[in-house]
Amino acid sequence: MTNNEQILDMISRRLDIGAKKYGKQVPVDGSRDNLKESIEELLDLCVYLSAVALELHKTYINNKEVNNASK
């Protein structure tokens, strides 16, 4: 499976989860504030990516300290 196919598959699965959760397709009829929800999701993404960055940084620092101690 190509990278693009994997990305499309992941998006498709997210759409399926949303359809099961909300019982419909993504509304484009003004019934939901998609801009507001997008901003909220973007902010959530920033939080999650920051947490991952901290985890990776701590792992990097810990590995560097272990490697320096073994020299």
Side-chain angles (χ1 to χ4, degrees), residues 1-19 26 45 49:
M1 183 180 282
T2 68
N3 293 339
N4 288 353
E5 290 169 335
Q6 289 178 49
I7 291 167
L8 289 171
D9 183 58
M10 291 172 68
I11 292 170
S12 179
R13 282 188 267 147
R14 292 301 302 164
L15 287 169
D16 289 344
I17 289 169
V26 175
L45 175 63
L49 288 176

Side-chain angles (χ1 to χ4, degrees), residues 18-70:
K20 288 175 185 165
K21 184 175 180 179
Y22 297 106
K24 57 184 172 183
Q25 296 185 39
V26 175
V28 292
D29 60 1
S31 62
R32 290 178 63 180
D33 189 342
N34 288 319
L35 177 58
K36 177 181 175 280
E37 292 189 35
S38 296
I39 292 169
E40 291 171 353
E41 293 292 340
L42 177 62
L43 293 171
D44 288 345
L45 175 63
C46 291
V47 170
Y48 301 142
L49 288 176
S50 295
V52 169
L54 285 173
E55 291 171 12
L56 291 172
H57 181 71
K58 287 178 183 179
T59 300
Y60 170 78
I61 295 298
N62 289 340
N63 287 339
K64 190 173 180 181
E65 289 172 354
V66 168
N67 289 335
N68 286 339
S70 65

